PDB file of all heavy atoms in Angstrom:
ATOM      1  N   LEU A  86      68.724  30.776  23.583  1.00  0.00           N
ATOM      2  CA  LEU A  86      69.481  30.024  24.590  1.00  0.00           C
ATOM      3  C   LEU A  86      69.814  28.624  24.070  1.00  0.00           C
ATOM      4  O   LEU A  86      68.992  28.016  23.362  1.00  0.00           O
ATOM      5  CB  LEU A  86      68.659  29.845  25.880  1.00  0.00           C
ATOM      6  CG  LEU A  86      68.293  31.073  26.702  1.00  0.00           C
ATOM      7  CD1 LEU A  86      67.332  30.661  27.832  1.00  0.00           C
ATOM      8  CD2 LEU A  86      69.534  31.722  27.287  1.00  0.00           C
ATOM      9  N   VAL A  87      70.985  28.114  24.442  1.00  0.00           N
ATOM     10  CA  VAL A  87      71.340  26.704  24.220  1.00  0.00           C
ATOM     11  C   VAL A  87      71.900  26.180  25.549  1.00  0.00           C
ATOM     12  O   VAL A  87      72.224  26.967  26.441  1.00  0.00           O
ATOM     13  CB  VAL A  87      72.421  26.519  23.126  1.00  0.00           C
ATOM     14  CG1 VAL A  87      71.881  26.852  21.749  1.00  0.00           C
ATOM     15  CG2 VAL A  87      73.668  27.345  23.437  1.00  0.00           C
ATOM     16  N   ASN A  88      72.022  24.846  25.664  1.00  0.00           N
ATOM     17  CA  ASN A  88      72.593  24.343  26.915  1.00  0.00           C
ATOM     18  C   ASN A  88      73.465  23.097  26.731  1.00  0.00           C
ATOM     19  O   ASN A  88      73.402  22.415  25.704  1.00  0.00           O
ATOM     20  CB  ASN A  88      71.517  24.115  27.992  1.00  0.00           C
ATOM     21  CG  ASN A  88      70.464  23.112  27.582  1.00  0.00           C
ATOM     22  OD1 ASN A  88      70.494  22.554  26.503  1.00  0.00           O
ATOM     23  ND2 ASN A  88      69.507  22.885  28.461  1.00  0.00           N
ATOM     24  N   ILE A  89      74.289  22.864  27.747  1.00  0.00           N
ATOM     25  CA  ILE A  89      75.215  21.725  27.792  1.00  0.00           C
ATOM     26  C   ILE A  89      75.167  21.167  29.219  1.00  0.00           C
ATOM     27  O   ILE A  89      74.649  21.834  30.121  1.00  0.00           O
ATOM     28  CB  ILE A  89      76.668  22.181  27.482  1.00  0.00           C
ATOM     29  CG1 ILE A  89      77.093  23.310  28.450  1.00  0.00           C
ATOM     30  CG2 ILE A  89      76.805  22.646  26.036  1.00  0.00           C
ATOM     31  CD1 ILE A  89      78.545  23.737  28.291  1.00  0.00           C
ATOM     32  N   HIS A  90      75.733  19.974  29.413  1.00  0.00           N
ATOM     33  CA  HIS A  90      75.840  19.430  30.767  1.00  0.00           C
ATOM     34  C   HIS A  90      77.141  19.899  31.413  1.00  0.00           C
ATOM     35  O   HIS A  90      78.225  19.683  30.855  1.00  0.00           O
ATOM     36  CB  HIS A  90      75.857  17.902  30.719  1.00  0.00           C
ATOM     37  CG  HIS A  90      74.487  17.298  30.746  1.00  0.00           C
ATOM     38  ND1 HIS A  90      73.730  17.238  31.892  1.00  0.00           N
ATOM     39  CD2 HIS A  90      73.744  16.732  29.773  1.00  0.00           C
ATOM     40  CE1 HIS A  90      72.574  16.646  31.624  1.00  0.00           C
ATOM     41  NE2 HIS A  90      72.554  16.335  30.342  1.00  0.00           N
ATOM     42  N   ALA A  91      77.045  20.482  32.591  1.00  0.00           N
ATOM     43  CA  ALA A  91      78.262  20.881  33.310  1.00  0.00           C
ATOM     44  C   ALA A  91      79.150  19.673  33.616  1.00  0.00           C
ATOM     45  O   ALA A  91      80.373  19.799  33.689  1.00  0.00           O
ATOM     46  CB  ALA A  91      77.882  21.593  34.614  1.00  0.00           C
ATOM     47  N   SER A  92      78.530  18.497  33.754  1.00  0.00           N
ATOM     48  CA  SER A  92      79.327  17.306  34.094  1.00  0.00           C
ATOM     49  C   SER A  92      80.216  16.857  32.941  1.00  0.00           C
ATOM     50  O   SER A  92      81.017  15.938  33.102  1.00  0.00           O
ATOM     51  CB  SER A  92      78.403  16.157  34.527  1.00  0.00           C
ATOM     52  OG  SER A  92      77.418  15.944  33.541  1.00  0.00           O
ATOM     53  N   GLY A  93      80.121  17.517  31.776  1.00  0.00           N
ATOM     54  CA  GLY A  93      81.065  17.258  30.682  1.00  0.00           C
ATOM     55  C   GLY A  93      82.461  17.791  31.004  1.00  0.00           C
ATOM     56  O   GLY A  93      83.416  17.501  30.276  1.00  0.00           O
ATOM     57  N   GLY A  94      82.578  18.580  32.081  1.00  0.00           N
ATOM     58  CA  GLY A  94      83.894  19.023  32.541  1.00  0.00           C
ATOM     59  C   GLY A  94      84.238  20.443  32.128  1.00  0.00           C
ATOM     60  O   GLY A  94      83.596  21.043  31.262  1.00  0.00           O
ATOM     61  N   ALA A  95      85.299  20.957  32.790  1.00  0.00           N
ATOM     62  CA  ALA A  95      85.684  22.365  32.596  1.00  0.00           C
ATOM     63  C   ALA A  95      86.109  22.645  31.157  1.00  0.00           C
ATOM     64  O   ALA A  95      85.695  23.647  30.565  1.00  0.00           O
ATOM     65  CB  ALA A  95      86.804  22.731  33.570  1.00  0.00           C
ATOM     66  N   LEU A  96      86.902  21.767  30.583  1.00  0.00           N
ATOM     67  CA  LEU A  96      87.401  22.037  29.223  1.00  0.00           C
ATOM     68  C   LEU A  96      86.244  22.039  28.214  1.00  0.00           C
ATOM     69  O   LEU A  96      86.199  22.881  27.310  1.00  0.00           O
ATOM     70  CB  LEU A  96      88.457  20.994  28.837  1.00  0.00           C
ATOM     71  CG  LEU A  96      89.128  21.245  27.484  1.00  0.00           C
ATOM     72  CD1 LEU A  96      89.807  22.613  27.446  1.00  0.00           C
ATOM     73  CD2 LEU A  96      90.146  20.149  27.165  1.00  0.00           C
ATOM     74  N   MET A  97      85.323  21.119  28.407  1.00  0.00           N
ATOM     75  CA  MET A  97      84.157  21.082  27.517  1.00  0.00           C
ATOM     76  C   MET A  97      83.351  22.386  27.643  1.00  0.00           C
ATOM     77  O   MET A  97      82.974  22.995  26.637  1.00  0.00           O
ATOM     78  CB  MET A  97      83.295  19.862  27.858  1.00  0.00           C
ATOM     79  CG  MET A  97      82.178  19.603  26.869  1.00  0.00           C
ATOM     80  SD  MET A  97      80.654  20.352  27.441  1.00  0.00           S
ATOM     81  CE  MET A  97      79.773  18.924  28.009  1.00  0.00           C
ATOM     82  N   MET A  98      83.134  22.842  28.881  1.00  0.00           N
ATOM     83  CA  MET A  98      82.364  24.088  29.068  1.00  0.00           C
ATOM     84  C   MET A  98      83.110  25.287  28.486  1.00  0.00           C
ATOM     85  O   MET A  98      82.512  26.155  27.842  1.00  0.00           O
ATOM     86  CB  MET A  98      82.061  24.315  30.553  1.00  0.00           C
ATOM     87  CG  MET A  98      80.974  23.391  31.070  1.00  0.00           C
ATOM     88  SD  MET A  98      80.264  23.949  32.619  1.00  0.00           S
ATOM     89  CE  MET A  98      81.446  23.320  33.792  1.00  0.00           C
TER      90      MET A  98
END
Side-chain angles (χ1 to χ4, degrees):
L86 295 173
V87 291
N88 60 0
I89 55 175
H90 272 285
S92 53
L96 185 58
M97 189 265 256
M98 285 197 277

